[in-house]
Amino acid sequence: MSHKHEDMIRQAAARWYVRMREVAPDSPERTTFEVWLLSDRRHQAAYQMVEATMEDFSSTARLKELSNALSQKLYFEQTARRKKISKLGSGLAVMLVCAGLGLLGRTQYMQWQAAPLSSEVQTTAVAQMLKRTLDDGSVVTANANSAMEIVFYRHQRLVKLSRGEAIFEVTKDPDRPFVVETPQAKVTVLGTRFAVNQLSKKVRISVDHGRVQVARADGSEQAVILHNGEVAEIEPMSAPHKVNRNAADSFSFTSGRIIFDRADMFEVADTLSRYRNPTVKAMFFGDQTPKVNAVVKVAEVESFIQTLPQSLPVSLKRKDNALQIEPKR
């Protein structure tokens, strides 16, 4: 919602606040007010903010502070001699409320929006997959050895994926975008099904259906828009870019399969480490490693690992409580 629209709602709330102080309890106008209030939760939020602001401005001293800020000193010095502020005209009261909102309301509104409605941490163990429904009806399927923080605000739904991989089926809510953040990427949607895979060398975003905006977490590069079946990746020093991959591959873990499509050894090691202990590490210099094309059942991960030296110029070595994949010497 634009700032102009926000201001219009706040001004309407201020006018209703003044009118409700004056009308009789049985006035038909109260019914009209209640309809307006209940028609949009933004109306309710704005009205609550007006009430809070007026409580803060309930003394002559606070009103005088406001008058100084608005260069209306002379007027308030005169009205300060009056003993009842409630005698101010409706038009002036609306002006005061709107002025107060202009000075303090925006800050209070931002603080109100920034207060989390709910917050939780979700983790999965090695070889564990978890599917759950969030408070808004969205569904998150976390792959093995993943970690995320889920925070719901009034203005957005935020998931911070710090490790691993997850699929998101987002319930549409035009007023609250669904945002997934990783150390490298920021993914923003309104309603769609997509997957985010946080690897050590890159983050991959795959869209099953819907529309997704992919940007760097630091906002330093132009965002990319993904549609049905499209995939994008972000490396540490690059802008988001579309890649020629099958988006459906990123959803295969829910059926117990791992699909490697031109996967380098770093991606292979990251992925296998989600399903076994000890972890797997790739010990290669630079990005030039052998590539793998394979479909692997999760239950057969160990067999797949043992076949790597037979099909690729690599060797396996156990060191420091990890299984290392190294170039064959």
Coordinates of all heavy atoms in Angstrom, one line a residue, residues 148-239:
M148 N 15.6 -23.0 9.8 CA 14.9 -21.7 9.4 C 14.2 -21.1 10.6 O 13.9 -21.8 11.6 CB 13.9 -22.0 8.3 CG 12.7 -22.8 8.7 SD 11.6 -23.2 7.4 CE 12.6 -24.5 6.6
E149 N 14.1 -19.8 10.5 CA 13.3 -19.0 11.5 C 12.1 -18.5 10.8 O 12.2 -17.9 9.7 CB 14.1 -17.9 12.1 CG 13.3 -17.1 13.2 CD 14.1 -15.9 13.7 OE1 15.2 -15.6 13.2 OE2 13.6 -15.2 14.6
I150 N 10.9 -18.7 11.4 CA 9.6 -18.2 10.7 C 9.0 -17.1 11.6 O 8.7 -17.3 12.8 CB 8.6 -19.4 10.6 CG1 9.3 -20.6 9.8 CG2 7.4 -18.9 10.0 CD1 8.5 -21.8 9.9
V151 N 8.9 -15.9 11.0 CA 8.4 -14.8 11.8 C 7.3 -14.1 11.0 O 7.5 -13.8 9.8 CB 9.5 -13.7 12.0 CG1 9.0 -12.6 12.9 CG2 10.8 -14.3 12.6
F152 N 6.1 -14.0 11.6 CA 5.0 -13.4 10.9 C 4.8 -12.0 11.5 O 4.7 -11.8 12.7 CB 3.7 -14.2 11.1 CG 3.6 -15.4 10.2 CD1 4.6 -15.8 9.4 CD2 2.3 -16.0 10.0 CE1 4.5 -16.8 8.5 CE2 2.2 -17.0 9.1 CZ 3.3 -17.4 8.3
Y153 N 4.7 -11.0 10.6 CA 4.4 -9.6 11.0 C 3.0 -9.2 10.4 O 2.4 -10.0 9.6 CB 5.5 -8.7 10.4 CG 6.9 -8.9 10.9 CD1 7.7 -9.8 10.2 CD2 7.3 -8.3 12.1 CE1 9.0 -10.0 10.7 CE2 8.6 -8.6 12.5 CZ 9.5 -9.4 11.8 OH 10.7 -9.6 12.3
R154 N 2.6 -8.1 10.7 CA 1.3 -7.6 10.1 C 1.5 -7.2 8.7 O 0.5 -7.3 7.9 CB 0.8 -6.3 10.9 CG 0.4 -6.7 12.4 CD 0.0 -5.4 13.1 NE -0.5 -5.7 14.4 CZ 0.3 -5.9 15.5 NH1 1.6 -5.8 15.4 NH2 -0.2 -6.2 16.7
H155 N 2.7 -6.9 8.2 CA 2.9 -6.4 6.9 C 3.6 -7.4 6.0 O 3.7 -7.3 4.8 CB 3.6 -5.1 6.8 CG 5.0 -5.2 7.3 ND1 5.3 -5.5 8.6 CD2 6.2 -5.0 6.7 CE1 6.7 -5.6 8.8 NE2 7.2 -5.3 7.6
Q156 N 4.2 -8.5 6.6 CA 4.8 -9.5 5.8 C 5.0 -10.8 6.6 O 4.9 -10.8 7.8 CB 6.2 -9.0 5.3 CG 7.3 -9.0 6.4 CD 8.7 -8.7 5.8 OE1 8.9 -8.7 4.6 NE2 9.6 -8.5 6.7
R157 N 5.2 -11.9 5.8 CA 5.5 -13.2 6.4 C 6.9 -13.5 6.0 O 7.2 -13.6 4.8 CB 4.5 -14.3 5.9 CG 3.1 -14.0 6.2 CD 2.1 -14.7 5.3 NE 2.0 -14.2 4.0 CZ 1.4 -14.8 3.0 NH1 0.7 -16.0 3.2 NH2 1.4 -14.3 1.8
L158 N 7.8 -13.7 7.0 CA 9.2 -13.8 6.7 C 9.8 -15.2 7.2 O 9.5 -15.6 8.3 CB 10.0 -12.7 7.5 CG 11.5 -12.7 7.4 CD1 12.0 -12.5 5.9 CD2 12.1 -11.6 8.3
V159 N 10.5 -15.8 6.3 CA 11.2 -17.1 6.7 C 12.7 -16.8 6.4 O 13.1 -16.5 5.3 CB 10.7 -18.3 5.8 CG1 11.6 -19.5 6.1 CG2 9.3 -18.6 6.1
K160 N 13.5 -17.0 7.4 CA 15.0 -16.9 7.3 C 15.6 -18.3 7.2 O 15.7 -19.0 8.2 CB 15.6 -16.1 8.4 CG 15.1 -14.7 8.5 CD 15.7 -13.9 9.7 CE 15.2 -12.5 9.7 NZ 15.8 -11.7 10.9
L161 N 16.0 -18.7 6.0 CA 16.5 -20.1 5.8 C 18.0 -20.0 5.9 O 18.7 -19.5 5.0 CB 16.1 -20.6 4.4 CG 16.6 -22.0 4.0 CD1 16.0 -23.1 4.9 CD2 16.3 -22.3 2.6
S162 N 18.6 -20.5 7.0 CA 20.0 -20.4 7.2 C 20.8 -21.6 6.7 O 22.0 -21.5 6.5 CB 20.3 -20.1 8.7 OG 19.7 -21.2 9.5
R163 N 20.1 -22.7 6.6 CA 20.7 -23.9 6.2 C 19.7 -24.9 5.5 O 18.6 -25.0 5.9 CB 21.4 -24.6 7.4 CG 22.2 -25.9 7.1 CD 22.8 -26.6 8.3 NE 21.8 -27.3 9.1 CZ 21.4 -26.9 10.3 NH1 22.0 -25.9 10.9 NH2 20.5 -27.6 11.0
G164 N 20.2 -25.5 4.5 CA 19.4 -26.6 3.9 C 18.5 -26.2 2.8 O 18.7 -25.3 2.0
E165 N 17.3 -26.9 2.7 CA 16.4 -26.8 1.5 C 15.0 -26.9 2.0 O 14.7 -27.7 2.9 CB 16.8 -27.9 0.6 CG 16.0 -28.0 -0.7 CD 16.5 -29.2 -1.6 OE1 17.1 -30.1 -1.0 OE2 16.3 -29.1 -2.8
A166 N 14.1 -26.2 1.3 CA 12.7 -26.3 1.7 C 11.8 -25.9 0.5 O 12.2 -25.1 -0.4 CB 12.4 -25.3 2.9
I167 N 10.6 -26.5 0.5 CA 9.6 -26.2 -0.5 C 8.5 -25.3 0.2 O 8.1 -25.7 1.4 CB 8.9 -27.4 -1.0 CG1 10.0 -28.2 -1.8 CG2 7.7 -27.1 -1.9 CD1 9.5 -29.6 -2.3
F168 N 8.0 -24.3 -0.4 CA 7.0 -23.4 0.2 C 5.8 -23.4 -0.8 O 5.9 -23.1 -1.9 CB 7.5 -22.0 0.3 CG 8.8 -21.9 1.2 CD1 10.0 -22.0 0.6 CD2 8.7 -21.8 2.6 CE1 11.2 -22.0 1.4 CE2 9.8 -21.7 3.4 CZ 11.1 -21.8 2.8
E169 N 4.6 -23.7 -0.2 CA 3.3 -23.6 -0.9 C 2.6 -22.4 -0.2 O 2.0 -22.6 0.9 CB 2.5 -24.9 -0.8 CG 3.3 -26.0 -1.5 CD 2.6 -27.3 -1.3 OE1 1.4 -27.5 -1.7 OE2 3.2 -28.3 -0.7
V170 N 2.6 -21.3 -0.8 CA 2.2 -20.0 -0.1 C 0.7 -19.7 -0.3 O 0.3 -19.6 -1.5 CB 3.1 -18.8 -0.6 CG1 2.7 -17.5 0.1 CG2 4.6 -19.1 -0.3
T171 N 0.0 -19.4 0.7 CA -1.3 -19.0 0.7 C -1.3 -17.5 0.3 O -0.6 -16.7 0.8 CB -2.0 -19.1 2.0 OG1 -2.1 -20.5 2.4 CG2 -3.5 -18.6 2.0
K172 N -2.2 -17.1 -0.7 CA -2.2 -15.8 -1.2 C -2.7 -14.8 -0.1 O -3.7 -15.1 0.6 CB -3.1 -15.6 -2.4 CG -2.5 -16.3 -3.7 CD -3.4 -16.1 -4.9 CE -2.8 -16.7 -6.1 NZ -3.6 -16.4 -7.3
D173 N -2.0 -13.7 0.0 CA -2.4 -12.6 0.9 C -1.8 -11.3 0.3 O -0.6 -11.0 0.6 CB -1.9 -12.8 2.3 CG -2.5 -11.8 3.3 OD1 -2.9 -10.7 2.8 OD2 -2.4 -12.0 4.5
P174 N -2.5 -10.6 -0.5 CA -2.0 -9.4 -1.2 C -1.4 -8.3 -0.2 O -0.5 -7.6 -0.6 CB -3.2 -8.8 -1.9 CG -4.1 -10.0 -2.1 CD -3.9 -10.8 -0.9
D175 N -1.9 -8.3 1.0 CA -1.4 -7.3 2.0 C -0.2 -7.8 2.8 O 0.4 -7.0 3.5 CB -2.5 -7.0 3.0 CG -3.7 -6.3 2.3 OD1 -3.5 -5.6 1.3 OD2 -4.9 -6.6 2.7
R176 N 0.2 -9.1 2.7 CA 1.3 -9.6 3.4 C 2.2 -10.5 2.5 O 1.9 -11.7 2.4 CB 0.9 -10.4 4.6 CG 0.4 -9.5 5.8 CD 0.5 -10.3 7.1 NE -0.3 -11.5 7.1 CZ -0.2 -12.4 8.0 NH1 0.6 -12.2 9.1 NH2 -0.9 -13.5 8.0
P177 N 3.1 -9.9 1.8 CA 4.0 -10.8 1.0 C 4.7 -11.8 1.8 O 4.9 -11.7 3.0 CB 5.0 -9.8 0.4 CG 4.4 -8.4 0.6 CD 3.5 -8.5 1.8
F178 N 5.0 -12.9 1.2 CA 5.7 -14.0 1.8 C 7.2 -13.9 1.3 O 7.5 -14.0 0.1 CB 5.1 -15.4 1.4 CG 5.6 -16.5 2.2 CD1 4.8 -17.1 3.2 CD2 6.8 -17.1 2.0 CE1 5.2 -18.1 4.0 CE2 7.2 -18.2 2.7 CZ 6.4 -18.7 3.7
V179 N 8.1 -13.7 2.3 CA 9.5 -13.4 1.9 C 10.4 -14.5 2.5 O 10.3 -14.9 3.7 CB 10.0 -12.1 2.5 CG1 11.4 -11.8 2.2 CG2 9.1 -11.0 1.9
V180 N 11.3 -15.1 1.7 CA 12.3 -16.1 2.2 C 13.6 -15.4 2.0 O 14.0 -15.0 0.9 CB 12.2 -17.4 1.4 CG1 13.3 -18.4 1.9 CG2 10.8 -18.0 1.5
E181 N 14.4 -15.4 3.1 CA 15.7 -14.8 3.0 C 16.8 -15.9 3.3 O 16.6 -16.7 4.2 CB 15.8 -13.6 4.0 CG 15.0 -12.4 3.7 CD 15.2 -11.3 4.7 OE1 15.9 -11.5 5.7 OE2 14.7 -10.2 4.5
T182 N 17.8 -15.8 2.6 CA 19.0 -16.6 2.9 C 20.2 -15.7 2.9 O 20.0 -14.5 2.6 CB 19.3 -17.7 1.8 OG1 19.9 -17.0 0.6 CG2 18.0 -18.4 1.3
P183 N 21.4 -16.1 3.3 CA 22.5 -15.2 3.4 C 22.8 -14.5 2.0 O 23.3 -13.4 2.0 CB 23.7 -16.1 3.8 CG 23.1 -17.1 4.6 CD 21.7 -17.4 4.0
Q184 N 22.4 -15.1 0.9 CA 22.7 -14.6 -0.4 C 21.4 -14.0 -1.1 O 21.5 -13.1 -1.9 CB 23.3 -15.6 -1.3 CG 24.6 -16.1 -0.8 CD 25.1 -17.4 -1.6 OE1 24.3 -18.2 -1.8 NE2 26.3 -17.4 -2.0
A185 N 20.2 -14.5 -0.8 CA 19.1 -14.2 -1.6 C 17.9 -13.7 -0.8 O 17.8 -14.0 0.4 CB 18.7 -15.4 -2.4
K186 N 17.0 -13.0 -1.5 CA 15.7 -12.5 -0.9 C 14.7 -12.9 -2.0 O 14.7 -12.4 -3.1 CB 15.7 -11.0 -0.6 CG 14.4 -10.6 0.0 CD 14.4 -9.1 0.3 CE 13.1 -8.6 0.9 NZ 13.2 -7.2 1.2
V187 N 13.7 -13.7 -1.6 CA 12.7 -14.2 -2.5 C 11.4 -13.7 -2.0 O 11.0 -13.9 -0.8 CB 12.7 -15.8 -2.5 CG1 11.7 -16.3 -3.6 CG2 14.1 -16.3 -2.9
T188 N 10.6 -13.0 -2.8 CA 9.3 -12.4 -2.4 C 8.2 -12.9 -3.3 O 8.3 -12.9 -4.5 CB 9.4 -10.9 -2.6 OG1 10.5 -10.4 -1.8 CG2 8.1 -10.2 -2.0
V189 N 7.1 -13.4 -2.7 CA 6.0 -13.9 -3.4 C 4.7 -13.5 -2.7 O 4.7 -13.1 -1.6 CB 6.0 -15.4 -3.5 CG1 7.3 -15.9 -4.2 CG2 5.8 -16.1 -2.2
L190 N 3.6 -13.6 -3.4 CA 2.2 -13.4 -2.9 C 1.5 -14.7 -2.7 O 0.9 -15.0 -1.7 CB 1.4 -12.4 -3.7 CG 1.9 -11.0 -3.7 CD1 1.0 -10.1 -4.6 CD2 1.9 -10.4 -2.3
G191 N 1.6 -15.6 -3.7 CA 1.0 -16.9 -3.6 C 1.6 -17.8 -4.7 O 1.4 -17.5 -5.9
T192 N 2.2 -18.9 -4.3 CA 2.9 -19.7 -5.3 C 3.4 -21.0 -4.6 O 3.4 -21.1 -3.4 CB 4.0 -19.0 -6.0 OG1 4.5 -19.8 -7.1 CG2 5.1 -18.7 -5.1
R193 N 4.0 -21.9 -5.4 CA 4.8 -23.0 -4.9 C 6.2 -23.0 -5.5 O 6.4 -23.0 -6.7 CB 4.1 -24.3 -5.3 CG 4.8 -25.6 -4.7 CD 3.9 -26.8 -4.9 NE 4.5 -28.0 -4.3 CZ 5.2 -29.0 -4.9 NH1 5.4 -28.9 -6.2 NH2 5.6 -30.0 -4.3
F194 N 7.2 -22.9 -4.6 CA 8.5 -22.8 -5.0 C 9.5 -23.5 -4.0 O 9.1 -23.8 -2.9 CB 8.9 -21.3 -5.2 CG 9.0 -20.5 -3.9 CD1 10.2 -20.2 -3.3 CD2 7.8 -20.1 -3.3 CE1 10.2 -19.5 -2.1 CE2 7.8 -19.4 -2.2 CZ 9.0 -19.1 -1.6
A195 N 10.7 -23.7 -4.4 CA 11.7 -24.3 -3.6 C 12.9 -23.4 -3.5 O 13.3 -22.8 -4.5 CB 12.1 -25.7 -4.1
V196 N 13.6 -23.4 -2.3 CA 14.8 -22.7 -2.1 C 15.8 -23.7 -1.6 O 15.6 -24.4 -0.6 CB 14.6 -21.6 -1.1 CG1 16.0 -20.8 -0.9 CG2 13.6 -20.6 -1.6
N197 N 17.0 -23.8 -2.2 CA 18.1 -24.7 -1.9 C 19.3 -23.9 -1.5 O 19.9 -23.3 -2.4 CB 18.3 -25.7 -3.0 CG 19.3 -26.8 -2.6 OD1 19.8 -26.8 -1.5 ND2 19.6 -27.6 -3.6
Q198 N 19.7 -23.8 -0.3 CA 20.8 -23.1 0.2 C 22.0 -24.0 0.2 O 22.2 -24.9 1.0 CB 20.6 -22.5 1.6 CG 21.8 -21.8 2.2 CD 22.2 -20.5 1.4 OE1 21.4 -19.7 1.1 NE2 23.5 -20.4 1.0
L199 N 22.9 -23.8 -0.8 CA 24.1 -24.6 -1.0 C 25.3 -23.8 -0.5 O 25.2 -22.6 -0.3 CB 24.3 -25.1 -2.4 CG 23.2 -26.0 -3.0 CD1 23.3 -26.0 -4.5 CD2 23.3 -27.4 -2.4
S200 N 26.5 -24.4 -0.3 CA 27.6 -23.6 0.2 C 28.2 -22.6 -0.9 O 28.7 -21.6 -0.5 CB 28.8 -24.6 0.6 OG 29.2 -25.4 -0.5
K201 N 28.0 -22.9 -2.1 CA 28.5 -22.0 -3.2 C 27.5 -21.2 -3.9 O 27.8 -20.3 -4.7 CB 29.3 -22.9 -4.2 CG 30.5 -23.7 -3.7 CD 31.6 -22.7 -3.4 CE 32.9 -23.5 -3.0 NZ 34.0 -22.6 -2.8
K202 N 26.2 -21.5 -3.6 CA 25.1 -20.8 -4.3 C 23.8 -21.0 -3.6 O 23.7 -21.9 -2.8 CB 25.1 -21.2 -5.8 CG 24.6 -22.7 -5.9 CD 24.6 -23.2 -7.4 CE 25.9 -23.4 -7.9 NZ 25.9 -24.1 -9.2
V203 N 22.8 -20.3 -4.0 CA 21.4 -20.6 -3.6 C 20.6 -20.7 -4.9 O 20.8 -19.9 -5.8 CB 20.9 -19.5 -2.7 CG1 20.9 -18.1 -3.4 CG2 19.5 -19.8 -2.2
R204 N 19.7 -21.7 -4.9 CA 18.9 -22.0 -6.1 C 17.5 -21.9 -5.8 O 17.0 -22.4 -4.7 CB 19.2 -23.4 -6.6 CG 18.4 -23.8 -7.8 CD 18.8 -25.2 -8.3 NE 20.2 -25.3 -8.6 CZ 21.1 -26.3 -8.3 NH1 20.7 -27.3 -7.6 NH2 22.3 -26.2 -8.7
I205 N 16.7 -21.2 -6.6 CA 15.3 -21.0 -6.4 C 14.6 -21.6 -7.6 O 14.8 -21.2 -8.8 CB 14.9 -19.5 -6.3 CG1 15.7 -18.8 -5.1 CG2 13.4 -19.3 -6.1 CD1 17.0 -18.2 -5.4
S206 N 13.6 -22.5 -7.4 CA 12.9 -23.1 -8.4 C 11.4 -22.9 -8.2 O 10.9 -23.1 -7.1 CB 13.2 -24.6 -8.4 OG 14.6 -24.9 -8.5
V207 N 10.7 -22.6 -9.3 CA 9.3 -22.2 -9.2 C 8.5 -23.3 -9.9 O 8.7 -23.6 -11.1 CB 9.0 -20.9 -9.9 CG1 7.5 -20.6 -9.8 CG2 9.7 -19.8 -9.2
D208 N 7.6 -24.0 -9.1 CA 6.6 -24.9 -9.7 C 5.5 -24.2 -10.4 O 5.2 -24.5 -11.6 CB 6.1 -25.8 -8.6 CG 5.0 -26.8 -9.1 OD1 5.4 -27.7 -9.8 OD2 3.8 -26.6 -8.8
H209 N 4.9 -23.3 -9.7 CA 3.9 -22.4 -10.4 C 3.8 -21.1 -9.6 O 4.1 -21.0 -8.4 CB 2.5 -23.1 -10.5 CG 1.9 -23.4 -9.1 ND1 2.1 -24.6 -8.5 CD2 1.1 -22.6 -8.3 CE1 1.4 -24.6 -7.3 NE2 0.9 -23.4 -7.2
G210 N 3.3 -20.1 -10.3 CA 3.2 -18.7 -9.7 C 4.2 -17.8 -10.2 O 4.9 -18.0 -11.3
R211 N 4.5 -16.7 -9.4 CA 5.4 -15.7 -9.8 C 6.2 -15.3 -8.6 O 5.7 -15.0 -7.5 CB 4.6 -14.4 -10.3 CG 5.4 -13.3 -10.8 CD 4.5 -12.2 -11.4 NE 5.2 -11.1 -11.9 CZ 5.5 -10.0 -11.2 NH1 5.1 -9.9 -9.9 NH2 6.2 -9.0 -11.7
V212 N 7.5 -15.3 -8.8 CA 8.5 -15.1 -7.7 C 9.5 -14.1 -8.1 O 10.0 -14.1 -9.2 CB 9.2 -16.4 -7.3 CG1 10.3 -16.2 -6.4 CG2 8.2 -17.4 -6.8
Q213 N 9.8 -13.2 -7.2 CA 10.9 -12.2 -7.4 C 12.1 -12.6 -6.6 O 12.0 -12.9 -5.4 CB 10.4 -10.8 -6.9 CG 11.5 -9.7 -7.0 CD 11.1 -8.4 -6.5 OE1 10.4 -7.7 -7.2 NE2 11.6 -8.0 -5.4
V214 N 13.2 -12.7 -7.3 CA 14.5 -13.1 -6.7 C 15.5 -12.0 -6.7 O 15.7 -11.4 -7.8 CB 15.1 -14.4 -7.4 CG1 16.4 -14.8 -6.8 CG2 14.0 -15.5 -7.4
A215 N 16.0 -11.6 -5.6 CA 17.0 -10.6 -5.5 C 18.2 -11.0 -4.6 O 18.0 -11.9 -3.8 CB 16.4 -9.3 -5.0
R216 N 19.3 -10.3 -4.7 CA 20.3 -10.5 -3.7 C 19.9 -9.9 -2.4 O 19.1 -9.0 -2.3 CB 21.6 -9.7 -4.2 CG 22.4 -10.4 -5.3 CD 23.7 -9.8 -5.6 NE 24.5 -9.8 -4.4 CZ 25.3 -10.8 -4.1 NH1 25.4 -11.9 -4.8 NH2 26.1 -10.8 -3.0
A217 N 20.4 -10.5 -1.3 CA 20.0 -10.1 0.0 C 20.4 -8.7 0.3 O 19.7 -8.0 1.0 CB 20.6 -11.1 1.0
D218 N 21.5 -8.3 -0.3 CA 22.0 -6.9 0.0 C 21.4 -5.9 -1.0 O 21.6 -4.7 -1.0 CB 23.5 -6.8 -0.1 CG 24.1 -7.3 -1.4 OD1 23.3 -7.5 -2.4 OD2 25.3 -7.5 -1.5
G219 N 20.5 -6.4 -1.9 CA 19.9 -5.5 -2.9 C 20.8 -4.8 -3.9 O 20.4 -3.8 -4.5
S220 N 22.0 -5.3 -4.1 CA 23.0 -4.7 -4.9 C 22.8 -4.9 -6.4 O 23.4 -4.2 -7.2 CB 24.4 -5.1 -4.5 OG 24.5 -6.5 -4.7
E221 N 22.0 -5.8 -6.8 CA 21.8 -6.1 -8.2 C 20.3 -6.1 -8.6 O 19.4 -6.2 -7.7 CB 22.4 -7.5 -8.6 CG 23.9 -7.6 -8.3 CD 24.7 -6.9 -9.3 OE1 24.2 -6.4 -10.3 OE2 26.0 -6.8 -9.0
Q222 N 20.0 -6.0 -9.8 CA 18.6 -6.0 -10.3 C 18.0 -7.4 -10.0 O 18.6 -8.4 -10.2 CB 18.5 -5.7 -11.8 CG 17.1 -5.5 -12.3 CD 17.1 -5.0 -13.7 OE1 18.1 -4.8 -14.3 NE2 15.9 -4.9 -14.3
A223 N 16.7 -7.3 -9.6 CA 16.0 -8.6 -9.3 C 15.6 -9.3 -10.6 O 15.5 -8.7 -11.6 CB 14.7 -8.2 -8.4
V224 N 15.3 -10.6 -10.4 CA 14.8 -11.4 -11.5 C 13.4 -11.9 -11.2 O 13.2 -12.3 -10.0 CB 15.8 -12.6 -11.8 CG1 15.2 -13.6 -12.7 CG2 17.1 -12.1 -12.3
I225 N 12.5 -11.9 -12.2 CA 11.2 -12.5 -12.0 C 11.1 -13.9 -12.6 O 11.5 -14.1 -13.7 CB 10.1 -11.6 -12.6 CG1 10.2 -10.2 -12.0 CG2 8.7 -12.2 -12.4 CD1 10.0 -10.1 -10.5
L226 N 10.7 -14.8 -11.8 CA 10.5 -16.2 -12.2 C 9.1 -16.6 -12.4 O 8.3 -16.2 -11.5 CB 11.2 -17.2 -11.3 CG 12.7 -17.0 -11.0 CD1 13.2 -18.1 -10.0 CD2 13.5 -17.1 -12.3
H227 N 8.8 -17.4 -13.4 CA 7.4 -17.9 -13.6 C 7.4 -19.4 -13.6 O 8.4 -20.0 -13.2 CB 6.8 -17.3 -14.9 CG 6.8 -15.8 -14.9 ND1 7.8 -15.0 -15.4 CD2 5.8 -15.0 -14.6 CE1 7.4 -13.8 -15.3 NE2 6.2 -13.7 -14.8
N228 N 6.3 -20.0 -13.9 CA 6.1 -21.4 -13.9 C 7.3 -22.2 -14.5 O 7.7 -21.9 -15.7 CB 4.9 -21.9 -14.6 CG 3.6 -21.3 -14.0 OD1 3.7 -20.5 -13.1 ND2 2.5 -21.7 -14.5
G229 N 7.9 -23.1 -13.8 CA 9.0 -24.0 -14.3 C 10.3 -23.3 -14.5 O 11.2 -24.0 -15.0
E230 N 10.5 -22.1 -14.0 CA 11.8 -21.4 -14.1 C 12.7 -21.6 -12.9 O 12.2 -21.7 -11.8 CB 11.6 -20.0 -14.5 CG 11.0 -19.8 -15.9 CD 10.9 -18.3 -16.3 OE1 10.7 -17.4 -15.4 OE2 11.1 -18.0 -17.5
V231 N 14.0 -21.5 -13.1 CA 15.0 -21.6 -12.0 C 16.0 -20.5 -12.1 O 16.4 -20.1 -13.2 CB 15.7 -23.0 -12.1 CG1 16.7 -23.2 -11.0 CG2 14.7 -24.2 -12.2
A232 N 16.4 -20.0 -10.9 CA 17.5 -19.0 -10.9 C 18.5 -19.4 -9.8 O 18.1 -20.1 -8.9 CB 16.9 -17.6 -10.6
E233 N 19.7 -18.9 -10.0 CA 20.7 -19.1 -9.0 C 21.4 -17.8 -8.7 O 21.5 -16.9 -9.5 CB 21.7 -20.1 -9.5 CG 21.2 -21.5 -9.7 CD 22.2 -22.5 -10.2 OE1 23.3 -22.1 -10.7 OE2 21.9 -23.7 -10.2
I234 N 22.0 -17.8 -7.5 CA 22.8 -16.6 -7.0 C 24.1 -17.1 -6.4 O 24.1 -17.9 -5.5 CB 22.1 -15.7 -6.0 CG1 20.7 -15.2 -6.5 CG2 22.9 -14.5 -5.6 CD1 20.0 -14.4 -5.6
E235 N 25.2 -16.8 -7.0 CA 26.5 -17.1 -6.4 C 27.0 -15.9 -5.6 O 26.4 -14.8 -5.7 CB 27.6 -17.3 -7.5 CG 27.4 -18.7 -8.2 CD 26.4 -18.6 -9.3 OE1 26.0 -17.5 -9.8 OE2 25.9 -19.7 -9.8
P236 N 28.0 -16.1 -4.7 CA 28.4 -15.0 -3.8 C 28.6 -13.6 -4.4 O 28.3 -12.6 -3.8 CB 29.7 -15.6 -3.2 CG 29.5 -17.0 -3.2 CD 28.8 -17.3 -4.5
M237 N 29.2 -13.6 -5.6 CA 29.6 -12.3 -6.2 C 28.8 -11.9 -7.4 O 29.2 -11.1 -8.2 CB 31.1 -12.2 -6.5 CG 32.0 -12.5 -5.2 SD 31.7 -11.3 -3.9 CE 32.3 -9.8 -4.7
S238 N 27.7 -12.6 -7.7 CA 27.0 -12.4 -8.9 C 25.5 -12.0 -8.7 O 25.0 -12.1 -7.6 CB 27.0 -13.7 -9.7 OG 26.1 -14.6 -9.2
A239 N 24.9 -11.4 -9.8 CA 23.5 -11.1 -9.7 C 22.7 -12.3 -9.9 O 23.1 -13.3 -10.4 CB 23.2 -10.1 -10.9

